[in-house]
């Protein structure tokens, strides 16, 4: 089963965390995962993917404009309807708006017909409610959480769609 982690990243933080999520997805047997910028999209891989996670840097307590614009049009190339969706963010400040950005992405995914998931508290520690958020000054401190998140997303996709 193919899975994809999409991101927009200006200074590399969101790209780094997207690649970690993809590594976590590949912990699940039968899953091939790819991290890809929304500016350089592998459309064939996206169309074949059963699980798509999208990440944004937080700008002004929301997603950045590039991610919002992408969700309002170009994302249609990914044939999102019916796929499993998730969201993550990177930001500078602990109270900088990460959950708000994640929530906006999940809302758009649902409008496009996706099923959204994070595992929530049902998976135990690390508890990830809406999606993982990494602080730019300590990206490595979030590595294990992002690996686990990728694994949980991929495991749920395999449960739903098969390997
Ligand atoms: C225009 C702008 C607005 C930002 N607004 C916020 C914000 O509201 N809250 C926050 O915590 N960080 C904010 N940041 C910091 C970025 O979210 C953070 O550095 C992020 O990790 C950058 O990701 P990237 O390296 O993938 O581009 C802002 C950065 C920029 C350039």
């Amino acid at each position: 089963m193919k899975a994809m982690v999409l991101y927009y990243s200006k200074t590399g933080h969101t790209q780094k965390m997207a690649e970690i999520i993809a590594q976590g997805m590949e912990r699940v047997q039968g899953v091939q995962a790819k991290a890809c910028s929304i500016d350089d999209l592998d459309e064939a891989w996206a169309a074949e993917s059963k699980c798509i996670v999208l990440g944004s840097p937080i700008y002004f307590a929301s997603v950045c404009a590039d991610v919002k614009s992408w969700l309002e049009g170009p994302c249609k190339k990914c044939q999102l309807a019916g796929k499993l969706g998730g969201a993550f963010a990177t930001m500078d400040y602990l109270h900088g708006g990460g959950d708000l950005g994640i929530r906006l992405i999940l809302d758009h995914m649902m409008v496009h017909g996706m099923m959204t998931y994070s595992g929530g508290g049902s998976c135990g520690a690390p508890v990830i409610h809406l999606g993982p958020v990494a602080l730019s000054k300590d990206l490595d401190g979030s590595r294990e959480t992002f690996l686990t998140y990728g694994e949980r997303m991929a495991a749920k996709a395999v449960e739903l769609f098969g390997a």
Side-chain angles (χ1 to χ4, degrees):
M1 188 204 73
K2 285 192 171 67
M4 193 158 216
V5 187
L6 296 172
Y7 60 86
Y8 171 84
S9 186
K10 196 165 185 183
T11 54
H13 304 150
T14 315
Q15 177 179 359
K16 175 173 171 155
M17 301 320 288
E19 287 164 358
I20 293 170
I21 292 172
Q23 281 173 35
M25 287 174 159
E26 291 203 330
R27 285 177 170 178
V28 177
Q29 198 173 2
V31 173
Q32 303 160 274
K34 184 169 188 170
C36 192
S37 165
I38 58 173
D39 291 330
D40 186 24
L41 185 61
D42 181 339
E43 286 178 27
W45 193 285
E48 286 177 38
S49 292
K50 297 295 185 195
C51 177
I52 293 189
V53 169
L54 174 62
S56 177
I58 295 300
Y59 285 6
F60 295 89
S62 188
V63 297
C64 65
D66 289 72
V67 165
K68 182 80 162 62
S69 298
W70 188 79
L71 283 165
E72 290 174 1
C75 71
K76 293 193 175 99
K77 293 176 191 157
C78 296
Q79 299 173 31
L80 297 177
K83 299 183 195 294
L84 189 68
F88 72 99
T90 71
M91 61 186 189
D92 282 356
Y93 312 112
L94 183 57
H95 306 291
D99 276 351
L100 296 172
I102 287 174
R103 184 59 196 274
L104 184 145
I105 293 172
L106 296 177
D107 287 351
H108 279 67
M109 286 179 160
M110 290 187 71
V111 173
H112 286 297
M114 297 183 82
M115 298 179 284
T116 60
Y117 182 71
S118 72
S122 69
C123 300
V127 174
I128 302 167
H129 282 163
L130 301 180
V133 179
L135 287 175
S136 57
K137 62 175 173 249
D138 185 23
L139 296 176
D140 286 327
S142 293
R143 173 177 291 276
E144 281 307 317
T145 296
F146 275 62
L147 283 168
T148 301
Y149 172 75
E151 192 174 353
R152 288 176 185 171
M153 292 298 297
K156 180 56 72 177
V158 167
E159 188 185 319
L160 291 169
F161 302 107

